[in-house]
């Protein structure tokens, strides 16, 4: 039910104020940290709104750059997280089909508050509007910085608000009292508050006047016109029971006349702590007629009348007899009232309101069967309960006015009412009632059935069901009359209408009350009342007897039935171990949804992992590859499982499962389990380290020392290690010599004399060159083990160390090596000899010598160790390739000379060579050799030059343009003068794609004709051919070229020559070509659609033909064509797609009604014409029609069709008019008037054609410029005349 206009304005003003305040606060909070940073904010969710009502969602942007007026887009995300666009301030056609009509009709719109703030307005909410709404602002900033969208969740719930009252037409006198009741209830699952307002509609043309309101915060406030009467206590509003609100008015005034009704509103508190009205309902009105007291003209007179609801009743019924007194100033006057039966007094009420009963009725008064009371200043009531047969007779009222004098009263004149006759019908009955189950226990959500059995009834029966309230009174639920009419109570009206409450007869003698989807509030005492009815001779029915029975119902709430326990067999695990979480839900078998929640260790907030809806929809919030779900439904419980395959520190924290129960697709319960902490620890380290040689180690000064550090055991086979070598001199602190991290990246060295070598996966070697006495101390190998978790993050385990003691001793030195630098130049392939010569005066015959060869490559700074020949002639090689080692020979041509010979030298051998000679002397006391001296030589500078290299590749750039599908040939040509018959050549092809920077390697054909392909797709490789058409040319051929082959191609040719001494081929020269720039273009596209606009006028009900014609010169027999038809309705802006017929003749229809589609036919009357025929045209077919033709050609290499061209037609403007049947005389006259004009036009066209043909014949004579053969060549856009 839509809100009143005034409420909508109040709501809009409230939202405007909220949005303005939100923008202002956002600016203050973000000024320090977000200057220049875009921030998009929307209304905090989740929001709960009622189906059928209005909702607004605010959105504002701040911190942006660009124009002050920003654009906004709203989208919705459903359970599948698929985006559906709704509305935009910049694009009127952005809405998807699901929302386009509602946007077009104004049901959904955007209200702009300012340039940077808007409200999304949905007039009538639907169930499908539930979802997550995103507000997005397109960027106007020079760079992306900040947030450009924000989301909020909207839940659309059912309207369960009920406001009802029993309408009545009441006649009251001025000064009387009035009481009206209104039943207000709501079954909304969310926590809401209710407010109730009573209104008086005095004038149908004017607005209703609020009498009094009970607000949502339980405060009572009167309307503006009733404040004084409320302060005087004459107006009140009380809540009697859970759902009953009573309006009380004493001393009615003439202005109180009119229609009185109550209006209920339901309020919910949003996450921003503001209250929002989500529903509003009105009850039926009671019409109040207030008669003025001035109708008695004489101030000293009065009148009386007798009234009763009916004068024919049955034995056992209730009879109420009213004596009404009409008089002026009745409040200030005193009266005594007596009731007479058959001229005998039954009861009396004195001037002070004290009742008295005749002796014949005193016993019945004591039993509560007879009672009198003063109901108001005017009305006096006599009530007889359980009327007997003797109560029938003639009844009359007698009234005396009493004058009060000195504390006593004196009777004045009396008045008597008219005489009325009461008829009491007496019948007999054997009615008996019993309930099937006096005590019933069920669960919330189950179906409750209370059966009442009837026996002994001879006539028709009626049954009514009541429920005892908390105050002890019975409330009407539903009744079934003896005529078969079912009547719901005011509180149960909605449940009866939805079918949740009903009465049915299981057997002829039983009545069953059935309540579906029971709630805890349905627990209590139910009373079944059965009445027997008989039909009298005059045709009237009367009640003979009534009997009742009660049954007590206990309802176990879902909250008491459902319990969620979260457990796990292993909550303390090591990294990469599995964690099994079990959420055990005990309770009845009802639809359940589960959401797994997780709070990471040291994180202040909780996040969701995954939600499993009762419908089977699964929504992941975290990466799913590390989780597995399972669900097991058993009798009395449901088990939800979450398995974490490989735990890491990211999975350490507190887990919790939230279970939601649903009844009739409505959430009825949300319950959280206990929190379960999962601890993820690092695995226990199994790392062990050893060092060799064993400690202590003694060496002579100048010697080299190798220390090996080995990892004996590791925690995992995939472990990586970071190794550090530390040196601890005696009396000093540790210092790091060398280190290598887990990625084998070497850290800075403490000096050139230290080097680190990795001997294996778990073995590291420290080399100390030319040890000195200062190198004595403790050497420590520290190993840190690293493991990788399931997310690819590395973490370390405690390190392990091993140590060795080193002692360096010094001896006298005798060795001396020649220091002079020399230069050697050799050709590639020649032999290179390098000498290391000692001074003969320093040579000692009793000593042994070791030699170490060093090499510094050309244009490189670090000096590397090639090899070492120990004093005992053991060769130790350092980082030398097998090929180079095979070419190297170490020997001693004389006693004081060491020689390094390199066979077949190449350019890689160029650089600086040097040697170091170490002297060793025999320690006679130990029998071991001790290094006693060392010396280094000068440098031998070697230059190896290429000889006999003649390769040269043409450098010029060329351009090639081919059509798609054609063959592409690219040549790589050597200069013939540089070609050598004894050489072999390899070629490498390079390719740079169009509009791309990196150059990629396509393929390499080695000198021995082996093809090596690099990053080429199978399809492209199948189209590529490499061959050598001539001795000096390499060619790359690409079949069926396409646009992906466009780019720059180049090649590199390497020359290889045979090394005669080894029989292997050595690269001797290389050269690169220029670029071949290739452009592959789409060719063979000739589609052209006629562009001219045409107009067609047809009568309603006639056939409409619309052609889409291609230029015949552009039609190709080998091509296929698709056509798309567009339509713009008359007086409408957006162009819509009617249908598309694909190139393989598949029809695809867009947004066309079934009725219109049945009238449409698509076909091709000729090879170059597509036709749309509409049968029985009507005015809705009026508008602009156009078409688009797409051409497709077959890709011969793949067998698939590729779109090669497209073109659109002009507009065909169609007007469908309502026409009648023309008279024959007018049709004949029209033909006679038009016929001569048509003949004249045809004659002019024929003359013009003859003139053009003769002129074309003269133009084709020799010596003249030739022209196109087509008569229309000069206007044909596909065949332009070339320039002279």
């Amino acid at each position: 039910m839509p809100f009143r206009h005034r409420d909508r304005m109040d709501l809009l003003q409230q939202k405007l104020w909220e949005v303005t305040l939100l923008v202002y606060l956002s600016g203050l909070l973000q000024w320090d940290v977000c200057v220049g940073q875009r921030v998009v904010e929307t209304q905090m969710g989740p929001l709960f709104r009622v189906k059928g009502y209005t909702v607004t969602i605010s959105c504002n942007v701040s911190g942006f750059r660009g124009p002050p007026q920003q654009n906004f887009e709203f989208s919705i995300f459903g359970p599948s997280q698929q985006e559906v666009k709704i509305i935009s301030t910049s694009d009127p056609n952005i809405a998807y089909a699901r929302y386009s009509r509602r946007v077009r009709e104004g049901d959904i719109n955007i209200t702009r508050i300012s340039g940077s703030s808007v409200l999304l307005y949905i007039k009538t909410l639907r169930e499908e509007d539930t979802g997550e709404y995103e507000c997005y602002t397109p960027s106007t900033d020079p760079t992306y910085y900040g947030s450009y969208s924000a989301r909020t969740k909207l839940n659309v719930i059912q309207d369960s608000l009920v406001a009802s009252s029993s309408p009545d037409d009441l006649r009251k006198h001025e000064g009387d009292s009035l009481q009206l009741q209104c039943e207000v209830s709501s079954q909304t699952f969310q926590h809401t508050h209710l407010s109730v307002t009573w209104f008086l509609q005095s004038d149908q043309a004017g607005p209703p006047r609020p009498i009094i309101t009970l607000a949502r915060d339980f405060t009572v406030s009167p309307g503006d016109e009733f404040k004084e009467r409320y302060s005087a206590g004459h107006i009140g509003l009380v809540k009697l029971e859970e759902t009953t609100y009573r309006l009380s008015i004493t001393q009615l005034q003439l202005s109180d006349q009119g229609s009185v009704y109550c209006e209920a509103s339901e309020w919910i508190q949003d996450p921003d702590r503001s209250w929002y009205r989500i529903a509003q309902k009105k009850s039926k009105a009671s019409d109040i007629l207030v008669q003025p007291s001035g109708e008695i003209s004489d101030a000293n007179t009065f009148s009386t009348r007798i009234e009763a609801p009916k004068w024919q009743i049955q034995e056992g019924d209730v009879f109420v007899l009213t004596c009404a007194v009409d008089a002026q100033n009745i409040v200030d006057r005193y009266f005594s009232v007596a009731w007479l039966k058959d001229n005998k007094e039954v009861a009396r009420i004195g001037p002070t309101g004290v009742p008295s009963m005749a002796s014949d009725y005193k016993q019945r008064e004591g039993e509560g069967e007879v009672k009198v009371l003063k109901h108001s200043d005017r009305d006096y009531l006599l009530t007889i309960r359980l009327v007997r047969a003797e109560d029938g007779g003639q009844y009359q009222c007698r009234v005396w006015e009493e004058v009060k004098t000195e504390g006593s009263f004196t009777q004045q004149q009396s008045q008597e009412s008219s005489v009325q006759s009461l008829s009491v019908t007496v019948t007999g009955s054997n009615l008996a009632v019993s309930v099937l189950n006096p005590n019933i226990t069920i669960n919330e959500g189950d179906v409750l059935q209370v059966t009442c059995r009837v026996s002994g009834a001879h006539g028709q029966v009626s049954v009514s069901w009541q429920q005892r309230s908390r105050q002890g009174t019975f409330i009407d639920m539903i009744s079934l009359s003896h005529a078969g009419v079912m009547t719901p109570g005011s509180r149960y009206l909605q449940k009866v209408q939805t079918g949740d409450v009903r009465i049915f007869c299981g057997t002829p003698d039983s009545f069953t009350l059935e309540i579906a989807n029971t709630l805890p509030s349905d627990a209590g005492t139910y009373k079944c009342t059965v009445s027997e009815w008989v039909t009298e001779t005059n045709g009237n029915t009367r009640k003979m007897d009534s009997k009742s029975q009660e049954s007590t119902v206990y309802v176990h709430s879902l909250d008491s039935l459902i319990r969620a326990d979260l457990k796990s067999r292993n909550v303390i695990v090591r990294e990469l171990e599995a964690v099994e979480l079990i959420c055990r839900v005990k309770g009845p078998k009802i639809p359940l949804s589960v959401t797994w929640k997780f709070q990471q260790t040291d994180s202040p907030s909780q996040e969701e992992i995954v939600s499993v809806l009762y419908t089977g929809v699964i929504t992941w919030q975290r990466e799913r590859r590390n989780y597995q779900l399972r669900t097991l439904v058993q009798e009395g419980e449901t088990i939800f499982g979450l398995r974490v395959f490989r735990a890491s520190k990211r999975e350490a924290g507190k887990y919790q499962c939230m279970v939601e129960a649903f009844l009739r697709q409505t959430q009825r319960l949300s319950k959280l389990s206990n929190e379960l902490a999962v601890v993820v620890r690092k695995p226990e380290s199994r790392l062990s380290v050893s060092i060799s040689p064993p400690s202590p180690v003694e060496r002579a000064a100048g010697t080299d020392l190798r220390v090996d550090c080995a990892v004996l055991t590791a925690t995992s086979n995939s472990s990586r290690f970071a190794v550090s070598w530390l040196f601890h001199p005696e009396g000093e602190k540790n210092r790091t010599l060398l280190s290598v991290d887990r990625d084998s990246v070497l850290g800075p060295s403490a000096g050139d004399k230290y080097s680190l070598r990795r001997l294996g996966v778990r073995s590291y070697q420290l080399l100390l060159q030319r040890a000195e006495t200062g190198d004595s101390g403790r050497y420590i190998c520290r190993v840190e083990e690293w493991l990788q978790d399931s997310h690819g993050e590395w973490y370390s385990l405690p390190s392990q160390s091993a140590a060795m003691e080193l002692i360096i001793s010094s001896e006298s030195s005798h060795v001396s090596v020649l220091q002079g630098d020399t230069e050697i130049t050799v050709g590639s392939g020649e032999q290179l000899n390098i000498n290391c010569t000692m001074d003969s005066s320093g040579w000692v015959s009793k000593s042994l010598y070791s030699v170490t060869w060093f090499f510094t490559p050309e244009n490189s700074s670090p000096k590397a160790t090639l090899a070492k020949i120990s004093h005992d002639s053991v060769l130790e090689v350092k980082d030398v390739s097998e090929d180079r080692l095979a070419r190297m020979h170490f020997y001693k041509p004389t006693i004081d000379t060491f020689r390094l010979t390199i066979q077949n030298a190449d350019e890689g051998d160029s650089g600086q060579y040097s040697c170091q000679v170490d002297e060793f002397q025999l320690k006679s006391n130990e029998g071991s050799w001790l290094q006693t001296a060392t010396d280094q030589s000068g440098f031998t500078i070697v230059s190896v030059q290429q000889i006999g290299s003649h390769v040269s590749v043409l450098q010029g750039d060329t351009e090639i343009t081919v059509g798609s599908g054609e063959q592409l040939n690219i040549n790589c040509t050597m200069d013939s003068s540089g070609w050598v018959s004894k050489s072999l050549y390899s070629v490498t092809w390079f390719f740079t794609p169009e509009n791309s920077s990196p150059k990629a390697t396509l393929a390499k054909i080695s000198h021995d004709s082996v093809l090596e392909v690099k990053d080429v797709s199978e399809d492209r490789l199948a189209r590529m051919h490499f061959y050598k058409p001539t001795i000096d040319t390499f060619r790359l051929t690409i079949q069926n070229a396409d646009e992906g082959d466009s780019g720059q191609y180049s090649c590199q040719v390497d020359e290889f020559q045979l090394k005669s001494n080894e029989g292997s081929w050595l690269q001797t020269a290389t050269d690169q070509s220029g670029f071949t720039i290739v452009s592959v273009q789409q060719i063979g596209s000739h589609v052209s659609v006629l562009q001219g606009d045409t107009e067609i006028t047809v009568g309603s009900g006639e056939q409409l033909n619309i052609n889409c014609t291609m230029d015949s010169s552009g039609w190709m027999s080998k091509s296929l064509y698709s056509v798309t038809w567009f339509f713009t309705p008359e007086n409408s802006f957006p162009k819509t797609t009617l249908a598309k017929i694909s190139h393989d003749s598949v029809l695809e229809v867009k947004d066309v009604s079934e009725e219109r589609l049945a009238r449409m036919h698509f076909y091709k009357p000729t090879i170059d014409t597509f036709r749309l025929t509409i049968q029985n045209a009507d005015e809705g077919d009026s508008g602009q029609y156009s078409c688009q033709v797409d051409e497709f050609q077959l890709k011969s290499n793949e067998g698939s069709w590729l779109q090669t061209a497209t073109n659109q037609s002009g507009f065909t403007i169609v007007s469908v008019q309502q026409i009648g049947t023309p008279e024959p005389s007018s049709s004949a006259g029209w033909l006679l008037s038009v016929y001569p004009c048509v003949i004249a036009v045809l004659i002019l066209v024929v003359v013009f054609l003859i003139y053009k043909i003769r002129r074309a014949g003269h133009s084709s004579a020799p010596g003249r410029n030739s022209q196109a053969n087509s008569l229309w060549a000069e206007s044909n856009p596909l065949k332009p005349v070339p320039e002279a």
Side-chain angles (χ1 to χ4, degrees), residues 189 192 253 454 511 539 566 669-670 711 728 790 803-804 889 1131:
F189 176 74
T192 59
Q253 299 178 4
V454 181
F511 297 87
L566 182 59
L669 174 71
S670 178
V711 177
H728 184 186
S790 59
M804 179 203 72
H889 300 278
N1131 301 321

Side-chain angles (χ1 to χ4, degrees), residues 429-455:
S429 175
N430 296 319
L431 181 66
V433 178
S434 64
V435 291
L436 187 62
N437 293 314
N439 296 287
I440 302 174
T441 301
I442 61 169
N443 297 331
E444 180 182 358
D446 290 347
V447 177
L448 169 63
Q449 289 186 344
V450 184
T451 301
C452 186
R453 295 189 181 275
V454 181
S455 61

Side-chain angles (χ1 to χ4, degrees), residues 1146-1162:
V1146 175
L1147 173 63
E1148 180 181 353
V1149 180
K1150 300 290 183 77
D1151 298 330
V1152 178
S1153 65
E1154 294 183 0
E1155 181 272 334
R1156 192 179 189 190
L1157 181 61
R1159 295 187 293 111
M1160 295 169 61
H1161 301 279
F1162 305 91

Side-chain angles (χ1 to χ4, degrees), residues 721-963:
F721 307 95
V723 179
S724 299
W725 285 94
L726 307 177
F727 175 51
H728 184 186
E730 187 174 355
E732 297 180 16
K733 294 182 179 180
N734 290 345
R735 70 173 187 265
T736 302
L737 301 178
L738 283 170
S739 65
V740 59
D741 64 13
R742 66 171 186 266
D743 296 322
S744 300
V745 177
L746 191 64
S749 173
D752 294 339
K753 65 191 304 180
Y754 303 104
S755 61
L756 182 62
R757 183 180 180 187
R758 187 170 181 175
L759 301 179
V761 177
R762 299 182 178 181
S763 180
Y764 302 82
Q765 186 181 79
L766 172 68
L767 172 62
L768 171 61
Q769 297 178 345
R770 302 181 302 279
E772 300 173 357
T773 56
D775 294 326
S776 298
R778 190 177 186 188
Y779 288 79
I780 304 169
C781 172
R782 180 179 296 166
V783 180
E784 186 178 29
E785 186 178 16
W786 289 81
L787 297 176
Q788 195 174 28
D789 66 13
S790 59
H791 299 282
E793 295 183 358
W794 291 92
Y795 61 94
S796 63
L797 299 179
S799 60
Q800 297 290 332
S801 301
M804 179 203 72
E805 290 288 341
L806 175 63
I807 302 172
I808 302 296
S809 59
S810 61
E811 295 287 343
S812 59
S813 174
H814 303 283
V815 67
S816 175
V817 184
L818 298 183
Q819 305 293 324
D821 295 341
T822 58
E823 294 185 1
I824 300 176
T825 301
V826 296
S828 60
E830 296 180 354
Q831 179 174 294
L832 171 61
N833 294 317
I834 304 167
N835 291 332
C836 179
T837 304
M838 296 188 299
D839 187 351
S840 59
S841 61
W843 180 79
V844 180
S845 60
K846 293 183 179 180
S847 296
L848 295 181
Y849 300 90
S850 70
V851 62
T852 304
W853 290 95
F854 303 99
F855 172 59
T856 303
E858 198 170 29
N859 300 321
S860 180
S861 57
K863 179 173 69 173
T865 302
L866 282 178
K868 178 178 181 180
I869 298 94
S870 66
H871 65 280
D872 51 357
S873 302
V874 176
L875 174 64
E876 183 180 348
V877 180
K878 301 279 184 147
D879 298 328
V880 178
S881 65
E882 294 184 359
D883 166 69
R884 192 177 191 191
L885 182 61
R887 296 186 292 112
M888 296 169 62
H889 300 278
F890 305 91
Y891 60 101
K892 195 173 179 183
T894 63
I895 60 174
D896 56 356
T897 300
F898 298 92
R899 178 171 291 172
L900 165 61
T901 296
I902 301 177
Q903 305 289 341
N904 298 314
D906 56 30
E907 291 182 350
D909 297 324
S910 298
Q912 293 181 348
Y913 292 81
S914 62
C915 66
Q916 173 182 309
V917 177
D918 300 319
E919 179 182 9
F920 291 82
Q921 293 183 350
L922 183 64
K923 295 177 68 175
S924 57
N925 59 335
E926 295 183 4
S928 61
W929 292 88
L930 179 67
Q931 178 184 350
T932 58
T934 185
D935 197 16
Q936 286 194 2
S937 71
F939 292 102
T940 300
I941 303 170
V942 174
S943 177
V944 180
Q945 298 180 354
Q946 289 288 345
I947 58 174
S949 174
H950 306 285
V951 66
S952 175
V953 184
L954 298 185
Q955 304 294 323
D957 295 341
T958 59
E959 294 185 1
I960 299 176
T961 300
V962 297

Side-chain angles (χ1 to χ4, degrees), residues 688-692 707-713 725 762 764 781 783 801-803:
S688 62
V689 181
S690 68
I691 195 170
S692 62
V707 184
D708 294 333
C709 180
V711 177
L712 300 180
T713 59
W725 285 94
R762 299 182 178 181
Y764 302 82
C781 172
V783 180
S801 301

Side-chain angles (χ1 to χ4, degrees), residues 929-1127:
W929 292 88
L930 179 67
Q931 178 184 350
T932 58
T934 185
D935 197 16
Q936 286 194 2
S937 71
F939 292 102
T940 300
I941 303 170
V942 174
S943 177
V944 180
Q945 298 180 354
Q946 289 288 345
I947 58 174
S949 174
H950 306 285
V951 66
S952 175
V953 184
L954 298 185
Q955 304 294 323
D957 295 341
T958 59
E959 294 185 1
I960 299 176
T961 300
V962 297
S964 60
E966 296 181 355
Q967 177 173 296
L968 171 62
N969 294 320
I970 305 168
N971 291 333
C972 179
T973 305
M974 296 188 298
D975 187 349
S976 59
S977 61
W979 180 78
V980 180
S981 60
K982 294 183 179 180
S983 297
L984 294 180
Y985 300 90
S986 72
V987 61
T988 304
W989 290 94
F990 302 99
F991 172 58
T992 302
E994 197 169 30
N995 300 321
S996 180
S997 56
K999 180 172 71 173
T1001 302
L1002 281 179
K1004 179 178 180 180
I1005 299 92
S1006 65
H1007 65 280
D1008 52 355
S1009 301
V1010 176
L1011 174 63
E1012 181 181 352
V1013 181
K1014 302 286 181 104
D1015 298 329
V1016 178
S1017 64
E1018 294 183 359
D1019 163 69
R1020 193 177 190 191
L1021 182 61
R1023 296 187 292 112
M1024 295 169 62
H1025 302 279
F1026 305 92
Y1027 60 101
K1028 195 173 180 183
T1030 63
I1031 58 174
D1032 57 355
T1033 300
F1034 299 91
R1035 178 171 291 170
L1036 164 60
T1037 296
I1038 301 178
Q1039 304 288 342
N1040 297 315
D1042 56 31
E1043 292 180 353
D1045 297 322
S1046 297
Q1048 293 182 347
Y1049 293 80
S1050 61
C1051 66
Q1052 173 182 309
V1053 178
D1054 301 318
E1055 180 183 9
F1056 292 81
Q1057 294 182 351
L1058 184 63
K1059 297 170 67 176
S1060 58
N1061 58 334
E1062 295 184 2
S1064 61
W1065 291 87
L1066 176 68
Q1067 180 180 345
T1068 57
T1070 186
D1071 196 18
Q1072 286 195 0
S1073 72
F1075 292 103
T1076 300
I1077 303 170
V1078 173
S1079 176
V1080 181
Q1081 300 179 353
Q1082 292 289 345
I1083 62 172
S1085 174
H1086 306 285
V1087 66
S1088 175
V1089 185
L1090 298 186
Q1091 306 293 325
D1093 294 343
T1094 59
E1095 294 186 3
I1096 298 176
T1097 300
V1098 296
S1100 60
E1102 295 181 356
Q1103 177 174 296
L1104 171 62
N1105 293 320
I1106 304 168
N1107 290 336
C1108 178
T1109 305
M1110 297 189 297
D1111 188 346
S1112 58
S1113 61
W1115 179 82
M1116 298 186 66
S1117 60
K1118 295 183 179 180
S1119 298
L1120 293 181
Y1121 300 90
S1122 73
V1123 61
T1124 304
W1125 289 94
F1126 303 99
F1127 173 57

